[in-house]
Amino acid sequence: MKYLALASFAIALAGCQHLSYQPPYGEDTAKITFTTNGTPAQPVVCVPGKGFQPTEFSLARTPMGGDAMNDLMQTLKKSPTVTTKIAPSSQARVGVIYNQKDTNSSRRDRCKIALQFEAVAGESYKADFNYSADQCGLAITDSEGQSADAVQIDWQCP
């Protein structure tokens, strides 16, 4: 009976592995790296028909260092940068969700921000998330550091 419960738990846990964004495979993809100004947040990618899906790793503060801390961050699936692949599209949509409870009160700081841009196959992009003074922002640049002409959109993923 004990082994049956353990096996059921393992199967349930295995079923949870596909709750995050599943990047496309192959050469015909673009790469995007999410960064942050030290604010922990969750990057998301729009998957048409399925909505915004969180990446496997979330953005974290830069760890204080040391192998133990780095191992812990890996285990918790947190990283100062998160890189994933996206499908090329003239209407690629990515975003970031920030949700943090203020330690000194019951107030919560929250924001969701999404941008739409043209993702070109073979190109690498950087999505830089910034949270400061109760405002969140997201900027996308290409591999040459030029603006990717991204426009902010409503939180919609058709």
Side-chain angles (χ1 to χ4, degrees):
M1 185 70 131
K2 182 177 180 181
Y3 295 110
L4 181 59
L6 186 57
S8 296
F9 176 73
I11 290 170
L13 187 59
C16 295
Q17 298 300 316
H18 297 288
L19 296 178
S20 64
Y21 172 68
Q22 299 297 308
Y25 293 97
E27 303 272 328
D28 191 26
T29 60
K31 183 170 71 170
I32 188 160
T33 300
F34 293 88
T35 63
T36 179
N37 65 337
T39 304
Q42 178 63 59
V44 294
V45 177
C46 174
V47 177
K50 296 185 178 181
F52 282 103
Q53 295 186 340
T55 57
E56 181 180 6
F57 278 73
S58 64
L59 291 169
R61 291 182 175 93
T62 303
M64 293 178 202
D67 290 338
M69 182 58 86
N70 291 336
D71 291 345
L72 177 62
M73 296 298 278
Q74 283 285 68
T75 300
L76 295 173
K77 297 197 177 260
K78 296 180 181 293
S79 178
T81 63
V82 174
T83 301
T84 192
K85 292 181 179 182
I86 57 175
S89 170
S90 62
Q91 297 181 356
R93 294 178 179 208
V94 297
V96 175
I97 299 170
Y98 170 71
N99 186 9
Q100 186 73 32
K101 184 176 180 182
D102 188 338
T103 56
N104 297 328
S105 71
S106 62
R107 185 180 82 120
R108 280 196 153 319
D109 293 327
R110 296 180 176 156
C111 76
K112 289 182 180 179
I113 186 165
L115 299 178
Q116 178 177 300
F117 69 106
E118 182 173 358
V120 178
E123 181 64 83
S124 295
Y125 299 93
K126 180 180 171 188
D128 189 33
F129 174 69
N130 187 328
Y131 183 81
S132 179
D134 294 334
Q135 297 290 318
C136 61
L138 187 62
I140 299 179
T141 53
D142 64 20
S143 59
E144 296 178 7
Q146 301 296 315
S147 172
D149 291 330
V151 292
Q152 188 171 346
I153 56 169
D154 289 334
W155 194 259
Q156 295 177 359
C157 176

Coordinates of all heavy atoms in Angstrom, one line a residue, residues 15-104:
G15 N 3.2 14.1 -14.3 CA 2.2 14.8 -15.1 C 2.2 16.3 -15.0 O 1.8 17.0 -15.9
C16 N 2.8 16.8 -13.9 CA 3.0 18.2 -13.7 C 4.1 18.8 -14.5 O 4.3 20.0 -14.5 CB 3.1 18.6 -12.2 SG 1.7 18.1 -11.2
Q17 N 5.0 18.0 -15.0 CA 6.2 18.5 -15.7 C 5.9 19.3 -17.0 O 6.7 20.1 -17.4 CB 7.1 17.3 -16.1 CG 7.6 16.5 -14.9 CD 8.4 17.4 -13.9 OE1 9.2 18.2 -14.3 NE2 8.1 17.3 -12.6
H18 N 4.7 19.2 -17.5 CA 4.4 19.9 -18.8 C 3.5 21.1 -18.6 O 2.8 21.5 -19.5 CB 3.7 18.9 -19.8 CG 4.7 17.8 -20.2 ND1 5.8 18.0 -21.0 CD2 4.7 16.5 -19.8 CE1 6.4 16.9 -21.1 NE2 5.8 16.0 -20.4
L19 N 3.5 21.7 -17.4 CA 2.7 22.9 -17.1 C 3.4 24.1 -17.6 O 2.8 25.1 -17.7 CB 2.4 23.0 -15.6 CG 1.5 21.9 -15.1 CD1 1.3 22.0 -13.6 CD2 0.2 21.8 -15.8
S20 N 4.7 24.0 -17.9 CA 5.4 25.2 -18.3 C 5.5 25.2 -19.8 O 5.2 24.3 -20.5 CB 6.8 25.3 -17.7 OG 7.6 24.2 -18.1
Y21 N 5.9 26.4 -20.4 CA 6.1 26.6 -21.8 C 7.0 25.5 -22.4 O 8.1 25.2 -21.9 CB 6.7 28.0 -22.0 CG 7.0 28.3 -23.4 CD1 6.1 28.4 -24.4 CD2 8.4 28.4 -23.8 CE1 6.5 28.7 -25.7 CE2 8.7 28.7 -25.1 CZ 7.8 28.8 -26.0 OH 8.1 29.1 -27.3
Q22 N 6.6 24.9 -23.5 CA 7.3 23.9 -24.2 C 7.9 24.6 -25.5 O 7.1 24.8 -26.4 CB 6.5 22.7 -24.6 CG 5.9 22.0 -23.4 CD 7.0 21.4 -22.5 OE1 7.9 20.7 -23.0 NE2 7.0 21.7 -21.2
P23 N 9.2 25.0 -25.5 CA 9.7 25.7 -26.7 C 9.7 24.8 -27.9 O 9.8 23.6 -27.9 CB 11.1 26.0 -26.3 CG 11.4 25.4 -25.0 CD 10.1 24.7 -24.5
P24 N 9.6 25.5 -29.1 CA 9.7 24.8 -30.4 C 11.1 24.2 -30.6 O 12.0 24.7 -30.1 CB 9.3 25.8 -31.4 CG 9.7 27.1 -30.8 CD 9.5 26.9 -29.3
Y25 N 11.1 23.1 -31.4 CA 12.4 22.5 -31.8 C 12.8 22.9 -33.2 O 12.0 23.4 -33.9 CB 12.2 21.0 -31.7 CG 12.0 20.4 -30.3 CD1 10.7 20.2 -29.8 CD2 13.1 20.2 -29.4 CE1 10.5 19.7 -28.6 CE2 12.8 19.8 -28.1 CZ 11.6 19.5 -27.7 OH 11.4 19.1 -26.5
G26 N 14.0 22.6 -33.5 CA 14.5 22.8 -34.8 C 15.3 24.1 -35.0 O 15.5 24.9 -34.1
E27 N 15.8 24.2 -36.2 CA 16.6 25.4 -36.6 C 15.8 26.6 -36.8 O 16.3 27.7 -36.7 CB 17.4 25.0 -37.9 CG 18.2 23.8 -37.8 CD 19.6 24.1 -37.3 OE1 20.1 25.2 -37.6 OE2 20.2 23.2 -36.6
D28 N 14.5 26.4 -37.2 CA 13.7 27.6 -37.5 C 13.0 28.2 -36.3 O 11.8 28.2 -36.1 CB 12.6 27.1 -38.5 CG 11.8 28.3 -39.1 OD1 12.4 29.4 -39.2 OD2 10.6 28.1 -39.5
T29 N 13.9 28.7 -35.4 CA 13.4 29.3 -34.2 C 14.2 30.6 -33.9 O 15.2 30.8 -34.5 CB 13.6 28.4 -32.9 OG1 15.0 28.1 -32.8 CG2 12.8 27.1 -33.1
A30 N 13.7 31.4 -33.0 CA 14.4 32.5 -32.5 C 14.7 32.3 -31.0 O 14.0 31.5 -30.4 CB 13.6 33.8 -32.6
K31 N 15.7 32.9 -30.4 CA 16.0 32.8 -29.0 C 15.7 34.1 -28.3 O 16.0 35.1 -28.8 CB 17.5 32.4 -28.9 CG 17.9 32.1 -27.5 CD 19.3 31.5 -27.4 CE 20.4 32.5 -27.8 NZ 21.7 32.1 -27.5
I32 N 15.2 34.0 -27.1 CA 14.9 35.1 -26.3 C 15.5 34.9 -24.9 O 15.2 33.8 -24.3 CB 13.5 35.6 -26.3 CG1 13.3 36.9 -25.6 CG2 12.6 34.5 -25.7 CD1 12.0 37.7 -25.9
T33 N 16.2 35.8 -24.3 CA 16.7 35.8 -23.0 C 16.1 36.9 -22.1 O 16.2 38.0 -22.5 CB 18.3 35.9 -23.0 OG1 18.8 34.9 -23.8 CG2 18.8 35.9 -21.6
F34 N 15.4 36.4 -21.1 CA 14.8 37.4 -20.2 C 15.8 37.7 -19.1 O 16.5 36.9 -18.6 CB 13.6 36.7 -19.5 CG 12.4 36.5 -20.5 CD1 12.4 35.3 -21.2 CD2 11.4 37.4 -20.6 CE1 11.3 35.0 -22.0 CE2 10.4 37.2 -21.5 CZ 10.3 36.0 -22.2
T35 N 15.9 39.0 -18.7 CA 16.7 39.5 -17.7 C 15.9 40.4 -16.8 O 14.8 40.8 -17.1 CB 17.9 40.3 -18.2 OG1 17.5 41.5 -18.9 CG2 18.8 39.5 -19.1
T36 N 16.5 40.7 -15.6 CA 15.8 41.6 -14.6 C 16.7 42.5 -13.9 O 17.9 42.2 -13.9 CB 15.0 40.7 -13.6 OG1 14.3 41.5 -12.7 CG2 15.9 39.8 -12.9
N37 N 16.2 43.6 -13.3 CA 17.0 44.5 -12.6 C 17.1 44.0 -11.1 O 17.4 44.8 -10.2 CB 16.4 45.9 -12.6 CG 15.1 46.0 -11.9 OD1 14.4 45.0 -11.8 ND2 14.7 47.2 -11.5
G38 N 17.0 42.7 -10.9 CA 17.1 42.1 -9.6 C 15.8 41.8 -9.0 O 15.7 41.3 -7.9
T39 N 14.7 42.1 -9.7 CA 13.4 41.8 -9.2 C 12.9 40.4 -9.7 O 13.0 40.1 -10.9 CB 12.4 42.8 -9.8 OG1 12.8 44.1 -9.5 CG2 11.0 42.6 -9.3
P40 N 12.6 39.5 -8.7 CA 12.2 38.2 -9.1 C 10.8 38.2 -9.9 O 9.9 39.0 -9.4 CB 12.0 37.4 -7.8 CG 11.9 38.5 -6.8 CD 12.6 39.7 -7.3
A41 N 10.7 37.5 -11.0 CA 9.5 37.6 -11.8 C 9.4 36.3 -12.6 O 10.4 35.6 -12.7 CB 9.5 38.8 -12.6
Q42 N 8.2 36.1 -13.3 CA 8.0 34.9 -14.1 C 7.9 35.3 -15.6 O 6.9 36.0 -15.9 CB 6.8 34.2 -13.7 CG 6.4 33.0 -14.5 CD 7.5 31.9 -14.4 OE1 7.8 31.4 -13.4 NE2 8.1 31.6 -15.6
P43 N 8.8 35.0 -16.4 CA 8.6 35.2 -17.9 C 7.6 34.3 -18.4 O 7.4 33.1 -18.0 CB 10.0 34.8 -18.5 CG 10.9 34.8 -17.3 CD 10.1 34.4 -16.1
V44 N 6.8 34.8 -19.4 CA 5.8 34.0 -20.1 C 5.9 34.2 -21.6 O 6.4 35.2 -22.1 CB 4.4 34.4 -19.6 CG1 4.2 34.0 -18.2 CG2 4.1 35.8 -19.9
V45 N 5.4 33.2 -22.4 CA 5.4 33.2 -23.8 C 4.0 32.9 -24.3 O 3.4 31.9 -23.8 CB 6.4 32.2 -24.4 CG1 6.4 32.2 -25.9 CG2 7.9 32.5 -23.9
C46 N 3.5 33.7 -25.2 CA 2.2 33.4 -25.8 C 2.2 32.2 -26.7 O 3.0 32.1 -27.6 CB 1.7 34.6 -26.5 SG 0.1 34.4 -27.4
V47 N 1.4 31.2 -26.4 CA 1.2 30.1 -27.3 C -0.3 30.2 -27.8 O -1.2 30.0 -27.0 CB 1.4 28.8 -26.5 CG1 1.1 27.6 -27.4 CG2 2.8 28.7 -25.9
P48 N -0.4 30.6 -29.1 CA -1.8 30.8 -29.6 C -2.7 29.6 -29.3 O -2.3 28.4 -29.5 CB -1.5 30.9 -31.1 CG -0.1 31.5 -31.2 CD 0.6 30.8 -30.1
G49 N -3.9 29.9 -28.9 CA -4.9 28.9 -28.5 C -4.7 28.4 -27.1 O -5.6 27.7 -26.6
K50 N -3.6 28.6 -26.5 CA -3.3 28.1 -25.1 C -3.1 29.2 -24.1 O -3.0 28.9 -22.9 CB -2.2 27.1 -25.1 CG -2.4 25.9 -26.0 CD -1.3 24.9 -25.9 CE -1.6 23.6 -26.7 NZ -0.5 22.6 -26.6
G51 N -2.9 30.4 -24.5 CA -2.6 31.5 -23.6 C -1.1 31.7 -23.3 O -0.3 31.0 -23.9
F52 N -0.9 32.6 -22.4 CA 0.5 32.8 -21.9 C 0.9 31.7 -21.0 O 0.2 31.3 -20.1 CB 0.6 34.2 -21.1 CG 0.6 35.4 -22.0 CD1 -0.5 36.2 -22.1 CD2 1.8 35.7 -22.7 CE1 -0.4 37.3 -22.9 CE2 1.8 36.8 -23.5 CZ 0.7 37.6 -23.6
Q53 N 2.1 31.1 -21.3 CA 2.6 30.0 -20.5 C 3.9 30.4 -19.9 O 4.8 30.9 -20.6 CB 2.7 28.8 -21.4 CG 1.4 28.3 -21.9 CD 1.5 26.9 -22.7 OE1 2.6 26.6 -23.1 NE2 0.4 26.3 -22.8
P54 N 4.1 30.0 -18.6 CA 5.3 30.4 -17.9 C 6.5 29.5 -18.4 O 6.3 28.4 -18.8 CB 5.0 30.1 -16.5 CG 3.9 29.0 -16.5 CD 3.1 29.3 -17.8
T55 N 7.7 30.1 -18.5 CA 8.9 29.4 -18.8 C 9.2 28.5 -17.6 O 8.7 28.7 -16.5 CB 10.1 30.4 -19.1 OG1 10.3 31.2 -17.9 CG2 9.8 31.2 -20.3
E56 N 10.0 27.5 -17.9 CA 10.4 26.5 -16.9 C 11.1 27.1 -15.7 O 10.8 26.8 -14.6 CB 11.3 25.4 -17.5 CG 11.7 24.3 -16.5 CD 12.6 23.3 -17.1 OE1 13.0 23.4 -18.3 OE2 12.9 22.3 -16.4
F57 N 12.0 28.1 -16.0 CA 12.7 28.8 -14.9 C 12.0 30.2 -14.7 O 11.5 30.8 -15.7 CB 14.1 29.0 -15.3 CG 15.0 27.8 -14.9 CD1 14.9 26.6 -15.7 CD2 15.8 27.8 -13.8 CE1 15.7 25.5 -15.4 CE2 16.6 26.7 -13.5 CZ 16.5 25.5 -14.3
S58 N 12.1 30.7 -13.5 CA 11.7 32.1 -13.3 C 12.9 33.0 -13.0 O 14.0 32.5 -12.7 CB 10.7 32.2 -12.1 OG 11.4 31.7 -10.9
L59 N 12.7 34.3 -13.2 CA 13.8 35.2 -12.9 C 14.0 35.4 -11.4 O 13.0 35.5 -10.7 CB 13.5 36.6 -13.6 CG 13.5 36.6 -15.1 CD1 12.9 37.9 -15.6 CD2 14.9 36.4 -15.6
A60 N 15.2 35.5 -11.0 CA 15.6 35.6 -9.6 C 16.6 36.7 -9.4 O 17.3 37.1 -10.4 CB 16.1 34.3 -9.1
R61 N 16.8 37.1 -8.2 CA 17.9 38.0 -7.9 C 19.2 37.3 -8.1 O 19.2 36.0 -8.1 CB 17.8 38.4 -6.4 CG 16.6 39.3 -6.1 CD 16.7 39.7 -4.6 NE 15.6 40.7 -4.3 CZ 14.4 40.3 -3.9 NH1 14.1 39.1 -3.6 NH2 13.5 41.2 -3.6
T62 N 20.2 38.0 -8.4 CA 21.5 37.4 -8.5 C 21.9 36.7 -7.2 O 21.9 37.4 -6.2 CB 22.6 38.4 -9.0 OG1 22.1 39.1 -10.2 CG2 23.9 37.8 -9.2
P63 N 22.3 35.4 -7.2 CA 22.6 34.8 -6.0 C 23.9 35.4 -5.4 O 24.7 35.9 -6.1 CB 22.8 33.3 -6.4 CG 22.9 33.3 -7.8 CD 22.3 34.6 -8.4
M64 N 24.0 35.2 -4.0 CA 25.1 35.7 -3.3 C 26.4 35.0 -3.7 O 27.5 35.4 -3.4 CB 24.9 35.7 -1.8 CG 23.8 36.6 -1.4 SD 23.5 36.4 0.4 CE 21.9 37.0 0.5
G65 N 26.3 33.9 -4.3 CA 27.5 33.1 -4.7 C 27.6 31.8 -4.0 O 26.9 31.5 -3.0
G66 N 28.6 31.0 -4.4 CA 28.8 29.7 -3.7 C 28.0 28.6 -4.4 O 26.9 28.8 -5.0
D67 N 28.6 27.5 -4.4 CA 28.0 26.3 -5.1 C 26.7 25.9 -4.5 O 25.8 25.5 -5.2 CB 29.0 25.1 -5.1 CG 30.2 25.4 -6.0 OD1 30.1 26.2 -6.9 OD2 31.2 24.7 -5.8
A68 N 26.6 26.0 -3.2 CA 25.4 25.5 -2.5 C 24.2 26.4 -2.9 O 23.1 26.0 -3.2 CB 25.6 25.6 -1.0
M69 N 24.5 27.8 -3.0 CA 23.4 28.7 -3.4 C 23.0 28.5 -4.8 O 21.9 28.5 -5.2 CB 23.9 30.1 -3.1 CG 22.8 31.1 -3.5 SD 21.3 30.9 -2.5 CE 21.6 31.9 -1.1
N70 N 24.0 28.3 -5.7 CA 23.7 28.0 -7.1 C 22.9 26.7 -7.3 O 22.0 26.7 -8.1 CB 25.0 28.0 -7.9 CG 25.7 29.4 -8.0 OD1 25.0 30.4 -7.9 ND2 27.0 29.4 -8.2
D71 N 23.3 25.7 -6.5 CA 22.5 24.4 -6.6 C 21.1 24.6 -6.1 O 20.2 24.1 -6.7 CB 23.2 23.4 -5.8 CG 24.5 22.9 -6.3 OD1 24.8 23.2 -7.5 OD2 25.3 22.2 -5.6
L72 N 20.9 25.4 -5.1 CA 19.6 25.7 -4.6 C 18.7 26.4 -5.6 O 17.6 26.1 -5.9 CB 19.6 26.5 -3.3 CG 18.3 26.9 -2.7 CD1 17.5 25.6 -2.3 CD2 18.5 27.8 -1.4
M73 N 19.3 27.4 -6.2 CA 18.6 28.2 -7.3 C 18.2 27.3 -8.4 O 17.1 27.4 -8.9 CB 19.5 29.3 -7.8 CG 19.8 30.4 -6.7 SD 18.3 31.2 -6.1 CE 18.1 32.4 -7.3
Q74 N 19.1 26.4 -8.8 CA 18.8 25.4 -9.9 C 17.6 24.5 -9.5 O 16.7 24.2 -10.3 CB 20.0 24.5 -10.3 CG 21.0 25.3 -11.1 CD 20.6 25.4 -12.5 OE1 19.6 26.1 -12.8 NE2 21.2 24.7 -13.4
T75 N 17.7 24.0 -8.3 CA 16.6 23.1 -7.8 C 15.3 23.8 -7.7 O 14.2 23.3 -8.1 CB 17.0 22.6 -6.3 OG1 18.2 21.9 -6.4 CG2 15.9 21.7 -5.8
L76 N 15.3 25.1 -7.4 CA 14.1 25.9 -7.3 C 13.6 26.4 -8.7 O 12.6 27.1 -8.8 CB 14.2 27.1 -6.3 CG 14.4 26.7 -4.8 CD1 14.8 27.9 -4.0 CD2 13.2 26.0 -4.3
K77 N 14.4 26.2 -9.7 CA 14.2 26.6 -11.1 C 14.1 28.1 -11.1 O 13.2 28.7 -11.7 CB 12.9 25.9 -11.6 CG 13.1 24.4 -11.7 CD 12.1 23.8 -12.7 CE 12.4 22.3 -12.8 NZ 13.1 22.0 -14.0
K78 N 15.1 28.8 -10.5 CA 15.3 30.2 -10.6 C 16.6 30.6 -11.1 O 17.6 29.9 -10.8 CB 15.1 30.8 -9.2 CG 13.7 30.6 -8.6 CD 13.5 31.1 -7.2 CE 12.2 30.9 -6.6 NZ 11.1 31.6 -7.3
S79 N 16.7 31.7 -11.9 CA 17.9 32.1 -12.5 C 17.9 33.6 -12.7 O 16.8 34.1 -13.0 CB 18.2 31.3 -13.8 OG 19.3 31.7 -14.4
P80 N 19.1 34.3 -12.7 CA 19.1 35.7 -13.0 C 18.8 36.0 -14.5 O 18.3 37.1 -14.8 CB 20.5 36.1 -12.7 CG 21.1 35.1 -11.8 CD 20.3 33.8 -12.1
T81 N 18.9 35.0 -15.3 CA 18.5 35.1 -16.7 C 17.8 33.8 -17.1 O 18.1 32.7 -16.6 CB 19.8 35.3 -17.7 OG1 20.6 34.1 -17.6 CG2 20.5 36.5 -17.3
V82 N 16.8 33.9 -18.0 CA 16.1 32.8 -18.5 C 16.1 32.8 -20.0 O 15.6 33.8 -20.6 CB 14.6 32.8 -17.9 CG1 13.8 31.7 -18.6 CG2 14.6 32.7 -16.4
T83 N 16.6 31.8 -20.6 CA 16.6 31.8 -22.1 C 15.8 30.6 -22.6 O 15.8 29.5 -22.1 CB 18.1 31.5 -22.6 OG1 18.9 32.6 -22.1 CG2 18.2 31.5 -24.1
T84 N 15.0 30.9 -23.7 CA 14.1 29.9 -24.3 C 14.1 30.2 -25.8 O 14.5 31.3 -26.2 CB 12.7 29.9 -23.6 OG1 12.0 28.8 -24.1 CG2 11.9 31.2 -24.0
K85 N 13.5 29.3 -26.5 CA 13.3 29.5 -28.0 C 11.8 29.9 -28.2 O 10.9 29.5 -27.4 CB 13.6 28.2 -28.7 CG 15.1 27.9 -28.7 CD 15.3 26.6 -29.5 CE 16.8 26.3 -29.5 NZ 17.1 25.1 -30.3
I86 N 11.6 30.6 -29.2 CA 10.2 31.0 -29.6 C 10.1 30.8 -31.1 O 11.1 30.8 -31.9 CB 9.8 32.4 -29.3 CG1 10.8 33.4 -29.9 CG2 9.8 32.6 -27.8 CD1 10.4 34.9 -29.7
A87 N 8.9 30.6 -31.6 CA 8.6 30.4 -33.0 C 8.7 31.7 -33.7 O 8.2 32.7 -33.1 CB 7.2 29.8 -33.2
P88 N 9.3 31.8 -34.9 CA 9.3 33.0 -35.6 C 7.9 33.5 -35.9 O 7.0 32.6 -36.3 CB 10.1 32.7 -36.9 CG 10.6 31.3 -36.7 CD 9.9 30.7 -35.6
S89 N 7.6 34.8 -35.8 CA 6.3 35.3 -36.1 C 6.3 36.8 -36.2 O 7.1 37.4 -35.5 CB 5.3 34.9 -34.9 OG 4.1 35.6 -35.1
S90 N 5.5 37.3 -37.0 CA 5.4 38.8 -37.1 C 4.6 39.3 -35.9 O 4.6 40.5 -35.6 CB 4.7 39.2 -38.4 OG 3.4 38.7 -38.4
Q91 N 4.0 38.4 -35.1 CA 3.2 38.9 -33.9 C 3.6 38.0 -32.7 O 2.7 37.6 -31.9 CB 1.7 38.8 -34.2 CG 1.3 39.7 -35.3 CD -0.2 39.6 -35.6 OE1 -0.9 38.8 -35.0 NE2 -0.7 40.4 -36.4
A92 N 4.9 37.8 -32.5 CA 5.3 37.1 -31.3 C 5.0 37.9 -30.1 O 5.1 39.1 -30.1 CB 6.8 36.8 -31.4
R93 N 4.6 37.2 -29.0 CA 4.2 37.9 -27.8 C 4.9 37.2 -26.6 O 4.8 36.0 -26.4 CB 2.7 37.8 -27.6 CG 1.9 38.6 -28.6 CD 0.4 38.5 -28.4 NE -0.2 39.3 -29.4 CZ -1.4 39.9 -29.3 NH1 -2.1 39.8 -28.2 NH2 -1.9 40.6 -30.2
V94 N 5.5 38.0 -25.8 CA 6.2 37.6 -24.6 C 5.8 38.6 -23.5 O 5.4 39.7 -23.7 CB 7.7 37.5 -24.7 CG1 8.1 36.4 -25.7 CG2 8.3 38.8 -25.0
G95 N 5.9 38.1 -22.2 CA 5.6 39.0 -21.1 C 6.3 38.5 -19.8 O 7.0 37.6 -19.8
V96 N 6.0 39.3 -18.8 CA 6.5 39.0 -17.5 C 5.4 39.2 -16.4 O 4.7 40.2 -16.6 CB 7.8 39.8 -17.1 CG1 8.2 39.6 -15.7 CG2 8.9 39.6 -18.1
I97 N 5.3 38.3 -15.5 CA 4.4 38.5 -14.3 C 5.2 38.7 -13.1 O 6.1 38.0 -12.8 CB 3.5 37.2 -14.2 CG1 2.7 37.0 -15.4 CG2 2.6 37.4 -12.9 CD1 2.0 35.6 -15.4
Y98 N 4.9 39.8 -12.4 CA 5.5 40.1 -11.1 C 4.4 40.1 -10.0 O 3.4 40.7 -10.2 CB 6.2 41.5 -11.2 CG 6.7 42.0 -9.8 CD1 7.8 41.4 -9.2 CD2 6.1 43.0 -9.2 CE1 8.2 41.8 -8.0 CE2 6.5 43.5 -7.9 CZ 7.6 42.9 -7.3 OH 8.0 43.3 -6.1
N99 N 4.7 39.4 -9.0 CA 3.7 39.3 -7.9 C 4.5 39.1 -6.6 O 5.0 38.1 -6.3 CB 2.8 38.1 -8.1 CG 1.7 38.1 -7.1 OD1 1.4 39.0 -6.3 ND2 0.9 37.0 -7.2
Q100 N 4.6 40.2 -5.8 CA 5.4 40.1 -4.5 C 4.6 40.7 -3.4 O 4.1 41.8 -3.5 CB 6.7 40.9 -4.8 CG 7.7 40.8 -3.7 CD 8.3 39.4 -3.6 OE1 8.5 38.7 -4.6 NE2 8.6 39.0 -2.4
K101 N 4.6 40.1 -2.3 CA 4.0 40.6 -1.1 C 5.0 41.5 -0.3 O 6.1 41.0 -0.1 CB 3.5 39.5 -0.2 CG 2.7 40.0 1.1 CD 2.2 38.9 1.9 CE 1.5 39.5 3.1 NZ 0.9 38.4 4.0
D102 N 4.6 42.7 0.1 CA 5.4 43.5 0.8 C 5.6 42.9 2.2 O 4.6 42.6 2.9 CB 4.8 44.9 0.9 CG 5.7 46.0 1.6 OD1 6.6 45.6 2.3 OD2 5.5 47.2 1.3
T103 N 6.9 42.8 2.7 CA 7.1 42.2 3.9 C 6.7 43.0 5.1 O 6.5 42.4 6.2 CB 8.6 41.9 4.1 OG1 9.3 43.1 3.9 CG2 9.1 40.9 3.1
N104 N 6.5 44.3 5.0 CA 6.1 45.1 6.1 C 4.6 45.4 6.2 O 4.1 46.1 7.0 CB 6.8 46.5 6.0 CG 8.3 46.3 6.1 OD1 8.8 45.4 6.8 ND2 9.1 47.1 5.4

